[in-house]
Amino acid sequence: MSIFEKLESEVRSYSRGWPVVFDRAVGSRLYAEDGTPYLDFFAGAGALNYGHNNPVLKQALLDYIARDGVTHALDMFTVAKRDLLETFQQNILQPRELDYKLIFPGPGGANAVEAALKLARKVTGKESVINFTNAFHGMTLGALSVTGNSMKRSGAGIPLVHATPMPYDHYFDGAYPDFLYFERLLDDSGSGLNEPAAVIVETVQGEGGINAASLEWLRGLSDLCQRHNILLIVDDVQMGCGRTGPFFSFEDAGIKPDMVCLSKSIGGYGLPMALTLIKPELDVWEPGEHNGTFRGISPAFVTAAEALRTYWADDELEKSTRAKGERIGAALQGIVEAYPEANLTAKGRGLARGLEFENGETAGKVCAAAFERGLLMETSGPDGEVAKMLPPLTLTDAEVGEGLEIIDASVKAVLGK
Amino acid sequence: MSIFEKLESEVRSYSRGWPVVFDRAVGSRLYAEDGTPYLDFFAGAGALNYGHNNPVLKQALLDYIARDGVTHALDMFTVAKRDLLETFQQNILQPRELDYKLIFPGPGGANAVEAALKLARKVTGKESVINFTNAFHGMTLGALSVTGNSMKRSGAGIPLVHATPMPYDHYFDGAYPDFLYFERLLDDSGSGLNEPAAVIVETVQGEGGINAASLEWLRGLSDLCQRHNILLIVDDVQMGCGRTGPFFSFEDAGIKPDMVCLSKSIGGYGLPMALTLIKPELDVWEPGEHNGTFRGISPAFVTAAEALRTYWADDELEKSTRAKGERIGAALQGIVEAYPEANLTAKGRGLARGLEFENGETAGKVCAAAFERGLLMETSGPDGEVAKMLPPLTLTDAEVGEGLEIIDASVKAVLGK
Amino acid sequence: MSIFEKLESEVRSYSRGWPVVFDRAVGSRLYAEDGTPYLDFFAGAGALNYGHNNPVLKQALLDYIARDGVTHALDMFTVAKRDLLETFQQNILQPRELDYKLIFPGPGGANAVEAALKLARKVTGKESVINFTNAFHGMTLGALSVTGNSMKRSGAGIPLVHATPMPYDHYFDGAYPDFLYFERLLDDSGSGLNEPAAVIVETVQGEGGINAASLEWLRGLSDLCQRHNILLIVDDVQMGCGRTGPFFSFEDAGIKPDMVCLSKSIGGYGLPMALTLIKPELDVWEPGEHNGTFRGISPAFVTAAEALRTYWADDELEKSTRAKGERIGAALQGIVEAYPEANLTAKGRGLARGLEFENGETAGKVCAAAFERGLLMETSGPDGEVAKMLPPLTLTDAEVGEGLEIIDASVKAVLGK
Amino acid sequence: MSIFEKLESEVRSYSRGWPVVFDRAVGSRLYAEDGTPYLDFFAGAGALNYGHNNPVLKQALLDYIARDGVTHALDMFTVAKRDLLETFQQNILQPRELDYKLIFPGPGGANAVEAALKLARKVTGKESVINFTNAFHGMTLGALSVTGNSMKRSGAGIPLVHATPMPYDHYFDGAYPDFLYFERLLDDSGSGLNEPAAVIVETVQGEGGINAASLEWLRGLSDLCQRHNILLIVDDVQMGCGRTGPFFSFEDAGIKPDMVCLSKSIGGYGLPMALTLIKPELDVWEPGEHNGTFRGISPAFVTAAEALRTYWADDELEKSTRAKGERIGAALQGIVEAYPEANLTAKGRGLARGLEFENGETAGKVCAAAFERGLLMETSGPDGEVAKMLPPLTLTDAEVGEGLEIIDASVKAVLGK
């Protein structure tokens, strides 16, 4: 029995599907300790939009560490934070005419969500929150209470209350008007729905199965929130930082959420970092009312600022992501059409793509076949029925092609033909 | 208005007391961007036990980054994780005859606490948890529900239930038997106390005001938990990794908790990392039942393993911590005696020390006076009435002396005489 | 200021619409202290199905009191309880082939609901319950948590959680398939819906606005519960005891709920009494696990048994209720058609009837006009937009006519024409 | 198997200890259907302070029913209610200089408690409530959440939160200062105690084991509540209406609670009725915000008013209760002293008396022995270790003697000697 199996809790998961020991990584590739390369279509579950150990960010990081830049700084003022704030304002907020203040809520996406929910409740004086079917927002109690997956919810050990799930876009395959149920409950003072402080939503549900809400649906949700005086929180932890093309995944819909949660790729290099963006009028915190040890990880600030400078000074990455995304989408559609009897569905937007199989067993076999062929790809969806593709945004066209070939071969290996 | 004040949420706190912009840091010192040095008696709230940018760890980190060691690895098997597991087993668990499995619960201390609480509830099928007066366990909803501070609790925006506070050691100045109330409620089936899944405790309450529980009290608590079949969780996030002398703060008491939460200094270099240690028989998780993006921060594993090799292969650091702690304790006692009318109290254990003033205003003035003199020191306690000292364990004897002189001068400046 | 206004809390409600002091009552009529008679189309909110001071029940009650039959008996065995149990079994359960055990849950309908919810949770080990939009189940915390009205919910002063409202029949005017949303959430393990212990439903929502679920919908609900292993609780507090025709309001649908709540008219004479009927296999209580002072009100048992003997030995009352109900329904439909521009709707089943106006103000004016004309009638629905008719089932045909004439005149007085 | 055993739920309890079928009752005696008389030292768990079928009240009740006085009146104005309000004001409130408004909260004591808790939360905007060890306040979810008994709490099926138990008087045998723990937690902003809306307390805990709080303790509690701006709710459901001597059990302590819950004997004749008394400034309800079907049970109002006129126009009953209570107390003390090795304790105040045995088994045997000898007496306390005596206040001196003789004989039969 390896030291991993002996000492690490049974809760570990990814190592079960990919039972090798990884050592190095560059760009779109991870290398096992024996040197075997793996093309990474998972990218740290969206935490590595700029690839593994991106050389530009790496140099900035090495320089900062070498010169003894402060590493851990709580929420003190630092040169590294100032650079990040200025770059974020200049390259992200100003060009998009967005007016947000930044909370450094702690190191991970769940912290960004917890801070948003706490503040929404504090601002409105209401406890209840609306989430959506198949949402994923994190594993701490507040974030877990707005997450859909029943296995993960049962891990809480206490009843998760204070949230009511509403149907996400296309939950009924488009057969019924959007927000029919939600708005009827809000309008009816006898509905029994506790008046919500906020709605929390992902524009594309990654863990939920690469469900991409339409832009109309997102606009409709934003309108509904404004009509009913409900705060709109977009959890852009996985879909932000360019995953769907634009920096914020909600830009195409033309909406301006009240709060935005960022994490995963915001740090650029895979180091823990998170942000909660809030409209300035919502900034009613007392000093220290929300705090934490890891809110000033300067190395992550350094790589974050460098990533914003390198990739978000113009729209090249955005365009490339859209183009590559469409290429993958078309290829997946081709697979769908090649196996008409298999009832496949191609899903997603930008470089968040999925191929839905009839059940989790088949999707799992396809991912296993891909792993054998040197491609890292995971399943998602309530029953793991979707093969999920989240490659680094910086992958090359050749790598797109390579990945698609493996996917093709893996599907064929599993579905026959 | 600076970019900090303009763009960062009002929730920021430390930057209010220390209104300078920090840039570099080495060992026990932080440097403002104008080069002004500050002796750090705060050490990242206990996250920098080995000092800022410790050169041994720094080299390991630079090497790892330079060679493109994988940075972000979710919970995959990696060379870096294997090294950490082996070193932890060899240098920490085996010599102490401790049998724990490790959960990588997410990047911060709150994640370690959330995972412990979730698992305790899952294992026992009970929801209620016992915490202690003036406890601090974190800001996510689960961790916040076992935290004492009323301002921080009110930030939750929902009633925090499922926890009942019990009096910490010396809550009544030793006038009453330990656990009098707690055990009476447990023994009485009509008491109305919901049967607890677990007790969560800090051996020294850092945020609560450097309240050090006696070893007898800790043993008594452990015995009580065993008698009543309650899981004992020690939150060693701040007091572990040698802060009180031994690696685990509970070692001196001779107890073996069912679960232990580690974070802050476990990563060694100030990068986010956390661990939840659990007795093997408690490892009842389903794969993936608790997960998260930042559970495999390999650079932190690298510096963590290096720190364990450098500082925990023998008992030198432990001895030095005890010695320096006693020196500071004695000096603080000297201050107490020098101001008999001021009702000061010297508190703490190891290098977790505190000087309690009559109120938060006085303590705040002393910390401000220290800052003017080049020393970083924060207040803690329910009303901020305790000046808290958490210097790096690696500070030199000269730095101890330097710090004590500044403290002396600062107290004098505030209390007169 | 009267003693009522001076001494009674502002929470009082019915006395505001009917500001006279009532003294006596017989059959379908209440008399003010000055002798003014009022035809009662409210019947104690459904608690007086056999009329005020029904002479047959009155004699049994007087005899019992006169002979010093035990009045208050907790849950002891009594002659009065035995007679009730035997009569209930013989006249109610056996003819309908229903196999239930009886809980005496306390004096009122809310107690019957609280006992059902407690037992459903105990049996299943699940906390969550499904209720329906515009449901009303009572004012104690457990019952209130499954009640829809937002004003009443806000009276709780704590977040009411553990229940999720689903759309009642015709909530979307029949435009969408029944249970579309409910069943989709149940089938989807990622929906975020906490797995429910039970569904609680009224077959006709009295307080909610006389919304009568179709028999198909009720059967569909029962099927859904069986498919998903969810307990079905019918709250028949207001609609049971013959209000819609048959003794149980669910009989026409041909379903057999797992639990049934009875109160209001079960006691026959208006004295407090309640029953929770449960399938025998659900009887997992510990002795005394649910108790209460007023579970053995023998005078109510006496009138209850007498009412069962008098009215439920044959189907005469049932037939008469159906006939009178149809007559009232037809008359209301006539009013609807007479005021096409007013958008009225005739609602209900059996002798639970309603006339829905465009808003609560109009409905209130009609009820006030009826009161002026000597008819007691209340509003219901989320905005009080439905004039509700719940006359005693024993009213005469002449009284039906008299009431309808007043309603006709009152509508005319308000809507003109 | 009898119809009782066949048809009634296993939750029944009293019928297990007294397995006879009762038929009639007069004064202090119940009669089984075979004519066997039983002296009643239980009195409907305190609901029959004026004895069974008290002839004065009986006549008023028969007259009212015979003349067709309205029986069921929701919260309408009635002649019966006016008489009750006037009598309550004149005979109860005015002589005691108490200024309360009356809520008719529903038929039972739990309703009185639920209404008080709801209003306290609404008035203060806080959710948390303080209850006491071994409290009993009822079985509906709100009332159950402030009840101590663990078996009854577990019946809820959901975590009962929002209440924190504090030690009742003498919980530590007087060894520690009163309110030591409670006030320390309130004073400490870091204690983790949620700020309470209200304290709910019984002056003598009947179900909890006839624990009588000292008058000093009650005054201390009232003072503490005023100092900390916490509403004081006295649950006088069992101990009010003269059970301890004065009409309100808190009169001797000289305190004026913010709210008082009454039920059980307030109706006089054993018919369900309850009242919640509130200080006028707390009357912030919306009309109908709390409602219910059985709030205007006029027959109970008639017997309630008659009881107030008959027994509370002077202090004769109060004096007699005190005298008889002292006689019983002295006799119990005699038994205690007669069995020094048995560690008995005599408990109680007024005509709420108890004899505590070493365990529930012994107390149960004594009650069983008493039943064999014709005396009804129940156990209470967390383990049923207290034989509880709650005779009608109207029992004769001869009946006191008769009861004491049976108790004497029953103790002897069980403890030997």
Side-chain angles (χ1 to χ4, degrees), chain B residues 185-353:
Chain B
L185 289 183
L186 288 171
D187 284 337
D188 178 2
S189 69
S191 70
L193 182 75
N194 294 331
E195 217 181 328
V199 163
I200 185 163
V201 69
E202 301 154 279
T203 61
V204 180
Q205 297 182 321
E207 298 302 307
I210 307 290
N211 308 313
S214 71
L215 304 183
E216 292 70 31
W217 189 86
L218 291 170
R219 275 191 290 271
L221 179 62
S222 175
D223 289 349
L224 179 152
C225 286
Q226 282 176 34
R227 275 197 309 280
H228 291 274
N229 212 16
I230 302 170
L231 295 172
L232 177 62
I233 304 169
V234 168
D235 179 344
D236 231 10
V237 166
Q238 193 170 63
M239 294 301 149
C241 304
R243 173 55 55 190
T244 68
F247 185 81
F248 294 113
S249 71
F250 54 79
E251 291 178 38
D252 287 347
I255 63 174
K256 298 195 174 178
D258 297 291
M259 302 190 195
V260 182
C261 302
L262 291 177
S263 184
K264 292 198 187 261
S265 284
I266 186 65
Y269 204 73
L271 294 173
M273 185 185 149
L275 288 176
T276 307
L277 313 183
I278 58 171
K279 290 197 172 160
E281 62 268 28
L282 303 177
D283 192 18
V284 301
W285 293 111
E286 297 289 312
E289 192 171 358
H290 180 86
N291 65 12
T293 299
F294 294 118
R295 289 170 299 141
I297 304 306
S298 310
F301 292 174
V302 166
T303 51
E306 195 62 27
L308 297 179
R309 268 190 292 269
T310 307
Y311 293 106
W312 297 102
D314 57 33
D315 62 359
E316 266 189 54
L317 181 67
E318 177 175 345
K319 281 185 188 164
S320 137
T321 298
R322 292 189 196 269
K324 288 168 187 159
E326 273 158 36
R327 180 176 166 198
I328 295 179
L332 295 178
Q333 190 55 35
I335 295 175
V336 168
E337 286 160 18
Y339 300 86
E341 74 292 353
N343 283 320
L344 307 183
T345 311
K347 308 171 80 175
R349 176 181 301 145
L351 278 168
R353 294 285 166 175

Side-chain angles (χ1 to χ4, degrees), chain A residues 134 165 171 176 181 188 190 194, chain C residues 134 153 165 171 176 181 188 190:
Chain A
N134 289 295
Y171 199 60
Y176 307 102
Y181 182 58
D188 178 1
N194 292 333
Chain C
N134 289 295
R153 289 175 72 83
Y171 199 61
Y176 306 102
Y181 183 58
D188 178 2

Side-chain angles (χ1 to χ4, degrees), chain C residues 137-192:
Chain C
H137 299 288
M139 287 291 108
T140 52
L141 269 194
L144 187 53
S145 74
V146 287
T147 289
N149 186 284
S150 60
M151 185 265 277
K152 289 184 166 54
R153 289 175 72 83
S154 77
I158 53 168
L160 293 174
V161 295
H162 302 300
T164 305
M166 289 291 153
Y168 195 70
D169 190 21
H170 262 72
Y171 199 61
F172 302 112
D173 301 320
Y176 306 102
D178 292 343
F179 313 113
L180 174 73
Y181 183 58
F182 189 6
E183 192 138 29
R184 181 80 173 81
L185 290 183
L186 288 170
D187 283 337
D188 178 2
S189 69
S191 71

Side-chain angles (χ1 to χ4, degrees), chain B residues 127 131-135 147-151 153 158-167 170-172 175-177 180-181 184-185 187-194 382-383, chain D residues 127 131-135 147-151 153 158-167 170-172 175-177 180-181 184-185 187-194 382-383:
Chain B
E127 298 91 2
N131 62 335
F132 288 97
T133 52
N134 289 295
T147 289
N149 186 286
S150 60
M151 185 265 276
R153 289 175 72 83
I158 54 168
L160 294 175
V161 296
H162 302 301
T164 305
M166 289 292 152
H170 262 72
Y171 199 60
F172 303 112
Y176 307 101
L180 174 73
Y181 182 57
R184 182 79 173 83
L185 289 183
D187 284 337
D188 178 2
S189 69
S191 70
L193 182 75
N194 294 331
D383 302 310
Chain D
E127 297 92 2
N131 62 334
F132 288 97
T133 51
N134 289 295
T147 290
N149 186 285
S150 60
M151 185 265 280
R153 289 174 72 82
I158 54 169
L160 293 174
V161 295
H162 302 300
T164 305
M166 290 292 153
H170 262 71
Y171 199 60
F172 303 111
Y176 307 103
L180 174 73
Y181 183 59
R184 182 80 174 83
L185 289 183
D187 283 338
D188 177 2
S189 69
S191 71
L193 183 75
N194 293 332
D383 302 311

Side-chain angles (χ1 to χ4, degrees), chain D residues 214-227:
Chain D
S214 71
L215 304 183
E216 293 69 31
W217 189 85
L218 291 170
R219 276 191 289 271
L221 179 62
S222 175
D223 289 351
L224 179 153
C225 286
Q226 282 175 35
R227 276 198 309 280

